[in-house]
Amino acid sequence: MADFVKVASLADLPAGSAKTVEVGGTSIALYNVGGQVHATTNTCPHRGGPLGEGVLGGEVVVCPWHAFEFEVTSGRCLTNPNLQIPCFPVRIEGQDILVQV
Protein backbone atom coordinates (compact mmCIF):
# COMPACT_ATOMS: atom_id res chain seq x y z
CA MET A 1 0.00 0.00 0.00
CA ALA A 2 1.25 3.48 -0.89
CA ASP A 3 2.26 5.97 1.77
CA PHE A 4 0.59 9.30 2.41
CA VAL A 5 2.67 12.15 0.94
CA LYS A 6 2.53 15.81 1.97
CA VAL A 7 1.31 17.78 -1.06
CA ALA A 8 0.26 21.17 0.32
CA SER A 9 -0.68 23.18 3.38
CA LEU A 10 -4.21 24.13 4.38
CA ALA A 11 -3.16 27.77 3.93
CA ASP A 12 -2.58 26.97 0.22
CA LEU A 13 -6.17 25.77 -0.25
CA PRO A 14 -8.83 28.16 1.10
CA ALA A 15 -12.42 26.91 1.42
CA GLY A 16 -14.15 26.76 -1.96
CA SER A 17 -10.92 26.57 -3.95
CA ALA A 18 -9.08 24.00 -6.05
CA LYS A 19 -5.36 23.49 -6.59
CA THR A 20 -3.20 21.19 -8.70
CA VAL A 21 -0.20 19.31 -7.28
CA GLU A 22 2.20 16.66 -8.60
CA VAL A 23 2.92 13.48 -6.67
CA GLY A 24 5.44 11.05 -8.13
CA GLY A 25 4.58 12.10 -11.67
CA THR A 26 0.82 11.98 -11.06
CA SER A 27 -1.16 15.21 -11.46
CA ILE A 28 -3.72 15.53 -8.65
CA ALA A 29 -6.43 18.12 -8.09
CA LEU A 30 -7.17 19.15 -4.49
CA TYR A 31 -10.47 20.71 -3.46
CA ASN A 32 -11.53 22.36 -0.21
CA VAL A 33 -15.26 21.78 0.23
CA GLY A 34 -16.38 23.55 3.39
CA GLY A 35 -13.17 22.68 5.23
CA GLN A 36 -13.04 19.08 3.97
CA VAL A 37 -10.21 18.38 1.53
CA HIS A 38 -10.76 15.96 -1.36
CA ALA A 39 -8.36 14.75 -4.06
CA THR A 40 -9.01 13.42 -7.56
CA THR A 41 -7.05 12.93 -10.71
CA ASN A 42 -6.42 16.27 -12.40
CA THR A 43 -7.33 14.89 -15.82
CA CYS A 44 -10.89 14.99 -17.15
CA PRO A 45 -11.68 11.68 -18.87
CA HIS A 46 -13.67 13.47 -21.59
CA ARG A 47 -10.81 15.26 -23.36
CA GLY A 48 -8.03 15.60 -20.77
CA GLY A 49 -8.94 18.99 -19.34
CA PRO A 50 -7.24 20.15 -16.10
CA LEU A 51 -9.88 19.69 -13.39
CA GLY A 52 -7.83 21.57 -10.79
CA GLU A 53 -8.27 24.71 -12.91
CA GLY A 54 -12.04 24.24 -13.06
CA VAL A 55 -14.75 26.06 -11.14
CA LEU A 56 -15.63 24.46 -7.80
CA GLY A 57 -19.21 24.90 -6.63
CA GLY A 58 -19.97 22.97 -3.46
CA GLU A 59 -18.96 19.35 -4.11
CA VAL A 60 -18.91 19.72 -7.92
CA VAL A 61 -16.01 20.77 -10.13
CA VAL A 62 -16.68 21.93 -13.69
CA CYS A 63 -13.97 21.09 -16.21
CA PRO A 64 -12.69 24.33 -17.76
CA TRP A 65 -12.47 22.85 -21.27
CA HIS A 66 -15.94 21.41 -21.98
CA ALA A 67 -17.93 21.96 -18.75
CA PHE A 68 -18.18 18.31 -17.73
CA GLU A 69 -19.20 18.18 -14.05
CA PHE A 70 -17.77 15.80 -11.45
CA GLU A 71 -18.52 15.21 -7.77
CA VAL A 72 -15.15 15.62 -6.03
CA THR A 73 -16.33 13.45 -3.13
CA SER A 74 -17.06 10.36 -5.24
CA GLY A 75 -15.60 10.96 -8.71
CA ARG A 76 -19.03 10.50 -10.30
CA CYS A 77 -19.62 12.43 -13.53
CA LEU A 78 -22.90 14.36 -13.53
CA THR A 79 -22.67 15.14 -17.24
CA ASN A 80 -22.10 11.61 -18.55
CA PRO A 81 -22.84 8.67 -16.21
CA ASN A 82 -20.39 6.48 -18.16
CA LEU A 83 -17.44 8.59 -16.97
CA GLN A 84 -15.77 8.58 -13.55
CA ILE A 85 -12.60 10.08 -12.12
CA PRO A 86 -10.34 8.38 -9.58
CA CYS A 87 -10.37 9.77 -6.04
CA PHE A 88 -7.44 9.56 -3.64
CA PRO A 89 -7.50 9.22 0.16
CA VAL A 90 -6.65 12.46 1.99
CA ARG A 91 -5.38 12.94 5.52
CA ILE A 92 -4.81 16.21 7.40
CA GLU A 93 -1.98 16.37 9.94
CA GLY A 94 -1.87 19.75 11.63
CA GLN A 95 -1.76 22.17 8.69
CA ASP A 96 -0.39 19.61 6.22
CA ILE A 97 -2.48 18.00 3.47
CA LEU A 98 -1.36 14.45 2.74
CA VAL A 99 -2.58 12.32 -0.18
CA GLN A 100 -2.19 8.59 -0.76
CA VAL A 101 -1.38 7.79 -4.38
Side-chain angles (χ1 to χ4, degrees):
M1 177 161 271
D3 292 327
F4 280 86
V5 177
K6 179 184 175 187
V7 295
S9 168
L10 288 173
D12 300 329
L13 191 67
S17 71
K19 175 181 179 63
T20 302
V21 296
E22 293 285 326
V23 178
T26 301
S27 186
I28 295 174
L30 300 175
Y31 315 92
N32 185 331
V33 179
Q36 290 286 330
V37 177
H38 302 276
T40 71
T41 184
N42 187 45
T43 306
C44 178
H46 172 243
R47 293 279 172 104
L51 295 174
E53 296 175 20
V55 175
L56 181 64
E59 296 181 350
V60 176
V61 65
V62 179
C63 180
W65 285 8
H66 300 106
F68 274 56
E69 298 180 346
F70 297 89
E71 289 180 341
V72 301
T73 55
S74 67
R76 184 172 72 101
C77 181
L78 304 177
T79 310
N80 179 340
N82 295 319
L83 297 179
Q84 175 102 10
I85 56 173
C87 296
F88 301 97
V90 175
R91 191 165 66 201
I92 305 297
E93 291 183 358
Q95 292 295 307
D96 296 336
I97 301 170
L98 295 91
V99 175
Q100 186 180 38
V101 179

